[in-house]
Amino acid sequence: MTASDYPRLEQLARAAAQQGNIDAIFLMAEINRAEIVRDESKDVEPFVTVGSWVTYWMNWGIPRKTVHLVWPEDRSSDLAAVSVLSSLGAALIGLRAGDQMPYRAGGSLTVVTIHSVERSDRNVTPLIRAKASARDKPFDDDPGPTAA
């Protein structure tokens, strides 16, 4: 796990686990057993981190699938985005190509096998953004009619 991701992941997982989130409890266990490495280290390259693109398959035979591991607030309607606070996201963090990880999903045990990991540039902006929250004011490019 990268040194820059660790504090945020730990805080996120701890807060959600205190509310009884089962996936957060699993993520906390993964965080507790993780080795923390500097972001610049070559040792981090092959591992799944937040922002990685991961190609995997499941033990129950679905074809390979590629997903983007994201922070919960970056999760959008994009089906390729998987929150690190989901059961799959918590299972993926820290794995590398060839690794397998069992995790619980929908009440049954599932095993994910990693095919490949691609690290994305932190400065890349996704094309699809999450919807603005209710507190954000929508952009109004049409001021409407004006009185003469």
Side-chain angles (χ1 to χ4, degrees):
M1 174 175 309
T2 62
S4 64
D5 283 350
Y6 173 76
R8 187 172 175 191
L9 274 173
E10 198 271 338
Q11 182 180 24
L12 173 73
R14 185 174 307 282
Q18 288 174 344
Q19 295 177 359
N21 182 314
I22 300 297
D23 296 332
I25 294 168
F26 176 51
L27 180 58
M28 279 300 302
E30 292 304 299
I31 291 169
N32 289 335
R33 71 182 193 93
E35 179 182 338
I36 311 302
V37 294
R38 289 188 352 246
D39 291 52
E40 308 81 33
S41 173
K42 290 185 181 196
D43 293 337
V44 82
E45 275 306 311
F47 293 97
V48 177
T49 60
V50 177
S52 293
W53 285 91
V54 184
T55 301
Y56 68 92
W57 66 88
M58 301 292 195
N59 61 317
W60 33 271
I62 64 166
R64 277 188 261 190
K65 185 173 182 181
T66 300
V67 295
H68 188 208
L69 189 63
V70 299
W71 296 105
E73 65 271 14
D74 295 332
R75 176 74 172 88
S76 65
S77 60
D78 180 3
L79 296 177
V82 171
S83 169
V84 71
L85 199 51
S86 68
S87 55
L88 176 59
L92 292 175
I93 197 86
L95 299 180
R96 63 181 165 191
D99 286 351
Q100 294 184 328
M101 173 62 86
Y103 71 99
R104 291 230 171 256
S108 63
L109 186 64
T110 300
V111 178
V112 61
T113 302
I114 306 301
H115 178 262
S116 64
V117 178
E118 300 272 334
R119 301 244 353 237
S120 64
D121 186 345
R122 290 180 183 265
N123 295 324
V124 173
T125 303
L127 292 176
I128 301 174
R129 289 281 200 195
K131 292 181 182 176
S133 67
R135 66 177 181 245
D136 294 338
K137 292 181 181 177
F139 176 70
D140 184 9
D141 64 347
D142 179 11
T146 56

PDB file of all heavy atoms in Angstrom, residues 17-18 25 27 37 40 47 53 59 71 96 100 116 129 134 137 139:
ATOM      1  N   ALA A  17     -16.249   1.196   9.423  1.00  0.00           N
ATOM      2  CA  ALA A  17     -16.306   0.009  10.279  1.00  0.00           C
ATOM      3  C   ALA A  17     -17.025   0.310  11.588  1.00  0.00           C
ATOM      4  O   ALA A  17     -17.776  -0.521  12.098  1.00  0.00           O
ATOM      5  CB  ALA A  17     -14.904  -0.516  10.547  1.00  0.00           C
ATOM      6  N   GLN A  18     -16.836   1.511  12.127  1.00  0.00           N
ATOM      7  CA  GLN A  18     -17.514   1.898  13.366  1.00  0.00           C
ATOM      8  C   GLN A  18     -19.023   1.990  13.167  1.00  0.00           C
ATOM      9  O   GLN A  18     -19.775   1.902  14.123  1.00  0.00           O
ATOM     10  CB  GLN A  18     -16.956   3.221  13.882  1.00  0.00           C
ATOM     11  CG  GLN A  18     -15.567   3.081  14.457  1.00  0.00           C
ATOM     12  CD  GLN A  18     -14.936   4.411  14.836  1.00  0.00           C
ATOM     13  OE1 GLN A  18     -15.382   5.473  14.435  1.00  0.00           O
ATOM     14  NE2 GLN A  18     -13.867   4.334  15.612  1.00  0.00           N
ATOM     15  N   ILE A  25     -14.764  -3.435   7.538  1.00  0.00           N
ATOM     16  CA  ILE A  25     -14.066  -4.298   8.495  1.00  0.00           C
ATOM     17  C   ILE A  25     -13.052  -5.165   7.750  1.00  0.00           C
ATOM     18  O   ILE A  25     -11.904  -5.331   8.194  1.00  0.00           O
ATOM     19  CB  ILE A  25     -15.072  -5.140   9.305  1.00  0.00           C
ATOM     20  CG1 ILE A  25     -15.913  -4.203  10.186  1.00  0.00           C
ATOM     21  CG2 ILE A  25     -14.369  -6.211  10.136  1.00  0.00           C
ATOM     22  CD1 ILE A  25     -17.129  -4.856  10.820  1.00  0.00           C
ATOM     23  N   LEU A  27     -11.692  -4.373   4.853  1.00  0.00           N
ATOM     24  CA  LEU A  27     -10.660  -3.441   4.406  1.00  0.00           C
ATOM     25  C   LEU A  27      -9.695  -3.125   5.548  1.00  0.00           C
ATOM     26  O   LEU A  27      -8.477  -3.070   5.336  1.00  0.00           O
ATOM     27  CB  LEU A  27     -11.282  -2.167   3.845  1.00  0.00           C
ATOM     28  CG  LEU A  27     -10.303  -1.098   3.340  1.00  0.00           C
ATOM     29  CD1 LEU A  27      -9.392  -1.657   2.246  1.00  0.00           C
ATOM     30  CD2 LEU A  27     -11.083   0.112   2.825  1.00  0.00           C
ATOM     31  N   VAL A  37       4.671   1.314   1.528  1.00  0.00           N
ATOM     32  CA  VAL A  37       5.847   1.677   0.741  1.00  0.00           C
ATOM     33  C   VAL A  37       5.714   3.104   0.225  1.00  0.00           C
ATOM     34  O   VAL A  37       4.601   3.608   0.045  1.00  0.00           O
ATOM     35  CB  VAL A  37       6.073   0.707  -0.448  1.00  0.00           C
ATOM     36  CG1 VAL A  37       6.415  -0.677   0.040  1.00  0.00           C
ATOM     37  CG2 VAL A  37       4.879   0.682  -1.359  1.00  0.00           C
ATOM     38  N   GLU A  40       7.100   6.652  -4.535  1.00  0.00           N
ATOM     39  CA  GLU A  40       8.104   6.668  -5.590  1.00  0.00           C
ATOM     40  C   GLU A  40       8.810   5.323  -5.735  1.00  0.00           C
ATOM     41  O   GLU A  40       9.571   5.123  -6.674  1.00  0.00           O
ATOM     42  CB  GLU A  40       9.178   7.733  -5.301  1.00  0.00           C
ATOM     43  CG  GLU A  40       8.643   9.115  -5.021  1.00  0.00           C
ATOM     44  CD  GLU A  40       8.167   9.288  -3.573  1.00  0.00           C
ATOM     45  OE1 GLU A  40       8.744   8.684  -2.646  1.00  0.00           O
ATOM     46  OE2 GLU A  40       7.189  10.015  -3.380  1.00  0.00           O
ATOM     47  N   PHE A  47       1.523  -3.506  -7.846  1.00  0.00           N
ATOM     48  CA  PHE A  47       0.430  -3.724  -6.905  1.00  0.00           C
ATOM     49  C   PHE A  47      -0.785  -2.847  -7.196  1.00  0.00           C
ATOM     50  O   PHE A  47      -0.651  -1.730  -7.676  1.00  0.00           O
ATOM     51  CB  PHE A  47       0.899  -3.471  -5.470  1.00  0.00           C
ATOM     52  CG  PHE A  47       1.896  -4.480  -4.996  1.00  0.00           C
ATOM     53  CD1 PHE A  47       3.252  -4.205  -5.063  1.00  0.00           C
ATOM     54  CD2 PHE A  47       1.482  -5.705  -4.516  1.00  0.00           C
ATOM     55  CE1 PHE A  47       4.177  -5.142  -4.647  1.00  0.00           C
ATOM     56  CE2 PHE A  47       2.401  -6.645  -4.098  1.00  0.00           C
ATOM     57  CZ  PHE A  47       3.759  -6.366  -4.165  1.00  0.00           C
ATOM     58  N   TRP A  53      -6.046   0.352 -12.691  1.00  0.00           N
ATOM     59  CA  TRP A  53      -6.945  -0.393 -13.564  1.00  0.00           C
ATOM     60  C   TRP A  53      -6.578  -1.854 -13.387  1.00  0.00           C
ATOM     61  O   TRP A  53      -5.415  -2.228 -13.537  1.00  0.00           O
ATOM     62  CB  TRP A  53      -6.782   0.030 -15.014  1.00  0.00           C
ATOM     63  CG  TRP A  53      -7.403   1.364 -15.273  1.00  0.00           C
ATOM     64  CD1 TRP A  53      -6.806   2.578 -15.186  1.00  0.00           C
ATOM     65  CD2 TRP A  53      -8.763   1.603 -15.646  1.00  0.00           C
ATOM     66  NE1 TRP A  53      -7.707   3.576 -15.482  1.00  0.00           N
ATOM     67  CE2 TRP A  53      -8.917   3.004 -15.776  1.00  0.00           C
ATOM     68  CE3 TRP A  53      -9.862   0.777 -15.888  1.00  0.00           C
ATOM     69  CZ2 TRP A  53     -10.123   3.594 -16.135  1.00  0.00           C
ATOM     70  CZ3 TRP A  53     -11.063   1.366 -16.245  1.00  0.00           C
ATOM     71  CH2 TRP A  53     -11.182   2.759 -16.362  1.00  0.00           C
ATOM     72  N   ASN A  59     -13.826 -16.971  -9.553  1.00  0.00           N
ATOM     73  CA  ASN A  59     -13.799 -18.428  -9.531  1.00  0.00           C
ATOM     74  C   ASN A  59     -15.054 -19.059 -10.129  1.00  0.00           C
ATOM     75  O   ASN A  59     -15.040 -20.229 -10.475  1.00  0.00           O
ATOM     76  CB  ASN A  59     -13.593 -18.941  -8.101  1.00  0.00           C
ATOM     77  CG  ASN A  59     -14.686 -18.528  -7.154  1.00  0.00           C
ATOM     78  OD1 ASN A  59     -15.137 -17.394  -7.163  1.00  0.00           O
ATOM     79  ND2 ASN A  59     -15.119 -19.444  -6.312  1.00  0.00           N
ATOM     80  N   TRP A  71     -11.817   5.959  -5.030  1.00  0.00           N
ATOM     81  CA  TRP A  71     -12.323   6.352  -3.718  1.00  0.00           C
ATOM     82  C   TRP A  71     -13.849   6.363  -3.778  1.00  0.00           C
ATOM     83  O   TRP A  71     -14.420   6.567  -4.852  1.00  0.00           O
ATOM     84  CB  TRP A  71     -11.809   7.745  -3.343  1.00  0.00           C
ATOM     85  CG  TRP A  71     -10.323   7.804  -3.191  1.00  0.00           C
ATOM     86  CD1 TRP A  71      -9.433   8.358  -4.062  1.00  0.00           C
ATOM     87  CD2 TRP A  71      -9.548   7.274  -2.122  1.00  0.00           C
ATOM     88  NE1 TRP A  71      -8.159   8.208  -3.599  1.00  0.00           N
ATOM     89  CE2 TRP A  71      -8.200   7.547  -2.394  1.00  0.00           C
ATOM     90  CE3 TRP A  71      -9.864   6.602  -0.942  1.00  0.00           C
ATOM     91  CZ2 TRP A  71      -7.163   7.173  -1.546  1.00  0.00           C
ATOM     92  CZ3 TRP A  71      -8.826   6.222  -0.094  1.00  0.00           C
ATOM     93  CH2 TRP A  71      -7.507   6.507  -0.396  1.00  0.00           C
ATOM     94  N   ARG A  96      -1.352  -8.251  -6.818  1.00  0.00           N
ATOM     95  CA  ARG A  96      -0.632  -8.068  -8.084  1.00  0.00           C
ATOM     96  C   ARG A  96      -0.986  -9.222  -9.010  1.00  0.00           C
ATOM     97  O   ARG A  96      -1.644 -10.187  -8.596  1.00  0.00           O
ATOM     98  CB  ARG A  96       0.863  -7.972  -7.850  1.00  0.00           C
ATOM     99  CG  ARG A  96       1.459  -9.208  -7.276  1.00  0.00           C
ATOM    100  CD  ARG A  96       2.928  -9.039  -7.057  1.00  0.00           C
ATOM    101  NE  ARG A  96       3.375 -10.122  -6.193  1.00  0.00           N
ATOM    102  CZ  ARG A  96       4.543 -10.177  -5.635  1.00  0.00           C
ATOM    103  NH1 ARG A  96       5.404  -9.217  -5.838  1.00  0.00           N
ATOM    104  NH2 ARG A  96       4.868 -11.180  -4.879  1.00  0.00           N
ATOM    105  N   GLN A 100      -4.447 -14.315  -5.824  1.00  0.00           N
ATOM    106  CA  GLN A 100      -5.845 -14.646  -5.606  1.00  0.00           C
ATOM    107  C   GLN A 100      -6.242 -14.159  -4.221  1.00  0.00           C
ATOM    108  O   GLN A 100      -5.427 -14.151  -3.305  1.00  0.00           O
ATOM    109  CB  GLN A 100      -6.078 -16.154  -5.680  1.00  0.00           C
ATOM    110  CG  GLN A 100      -5.841 -16.737  -7.044  1.00  0.00           C
ATOM    111  CD  GLN A 100      -6.173 -18.218  -7.070  1.00  0.00           C
ATOM    112  OE1 GLN A 100      -6.010 -18.932  -6.077  1.00  0.00           O
ATOM    113  NE2 GLN A 100      -6.626 -18.687  -8.210  1.00  0.00           N
ATOM    114  N   SER A 116      -4.014  -8.636 -14.559  1.00  0.00           N
ATOM    115  CA  SER A 116      -3.039  -7.566 -14.781  1.00  0.00           C
ATOM    116  C   SER A 116      -3.424  -6.326 -13.982  1.00  0.00           C
ATOM    117  O   SER A 116      -4.577  -6.147 -13.605  1.00  0.00           O
ATOM    118  CB  SER A 116      -2.948  -7.217 -16.266  1.00  0.00           C
ATOM    119  OG  SER A 116      -4.173  -6.696 -16.726  1.00  0.00           O
ATOM    120  N   ARG A 129     -17.635  12.177 -14.688  1.00  0.00           N
ATOM    121  CA  ARG A 129     -17.574  12.650 -13.314  1.00  0.00           C
ATOM    122  C   ARG A 129     -18.820  12.215 -12.562  1.00  0.00           C
ATOM    123  O   ARG A 129     -19.888  12.061 -13.145  1.00  0.00           O
ATOM    124  CB  ARG A 129     -17.520  14.189 -13.278  1.00  0.00           C
ATOM    125  CG  ARG A 129     -16.220  14.735 -13.743  1.00  0.00           C
ATOM    126  CD  ARG A 129     -15.277  14.590 -12.597  1.00  0.00           C
ATOM    127  NE  ARG A 129     -14.159  15.482 -12.764  1.00  0.00           N
ATOM    128  CZ  ARG A 129     -13.074  15.331 -12.055  1.00  0.00           C
ATOM    129  NH1 ARG A 129     -12.980  14.383 -11.188  1.00  0.00           N
ATOM    130  NH2 ARG A 129     -12.089  16.148 -12.214  1.00  0.00           N
ATOM    131  N   ALA A 134     -26.109  17.742  -3.854  1.00  0.00           N
ATOM    132  CA  ALA A 134     -27.215  18.688  -3.713  1.00  0.00           C
ATOM    133  C   ALA A 134     -26.714  20.061  -3.255  1.00  0.00           C
ATOM    134  O   ALA A 134     -27.321  21.077  -3.567  1.00  0.00           O
ATOM    135  CB  ALA A 134     -28.238  18.144  -2.729  1.00  0.00           C
ATOM    136  N   LYS A 137     -24.014  24.063  -6.566  1.00  0.00           N
ATOM    137  CA  LYS A 137     -24.927  24.779  -7.443  1.00  0.00           C
ATOM    138  C   LYS A 137     -24.690  24.322  -8.870  1.00  0.00           C
ATOM    139  O   LYS A 137     -23.548  24.235  -9.312  1.00  0.00           O
ATOM    140  CB  LYS A 137     -24.697  26.285  -7.340  1.00  0.00           C
ATOM    141  CG  LYS A 137     -25.083  26.859  -6.002  1.00  0.00           C
ATOM    142  CD  LYS A 137     -24.861  28.343  -5.982  1.00  0.00           C
ATOM    143  CE  LYS A 137     -25.241  28.889  -4.615  1.00  0.00           C
ATOM    144  NZ  LYS A 137     -24.988  30.317  -4.508  1.00  0.00           N
ATOM    145  N   PHE A 139     -24.309  24.405 -12.880  1.00  0.00           N
ATOM    146  CA  PHE A 139     -23.840  25.412 -13.808  1.00  0.00           C
ATOM    147  C   PHE A 139     -25.010  25.835 -14.685  1.00  0.00           C
ATOM    148  O   PHE A 139     -25.712  25.000 -15.245  1.00  0.00           O
ATOM    149  CB  PHE A 139     -22.713  24.845 -14.679  1.00  0.00           C
ATOM    150  CG  PHE A 139     -22.251  25.804 -15.732  1.00  0.00           C
ATOM    151  CD1 PHE A 139     -21.541  26.937 -15.384  1.00  0.00           C
ATOM    152  CD2 PHE A 139     -22.541  25.586 -17.063  1.00  0.00           C
ATOM    153  CE1 PHE A 139     -21.112  27.821 -16.355  1.00  0.00           C
ATOM    154  CE2 PHE A 139     -22.122  26.458 -18.037  1.00  0.00           C
ATOM    155  CZ  PHE A 139     -21.401  27.588 -17.676  1.00  0.00           C
TER     156      PHE A 139
END
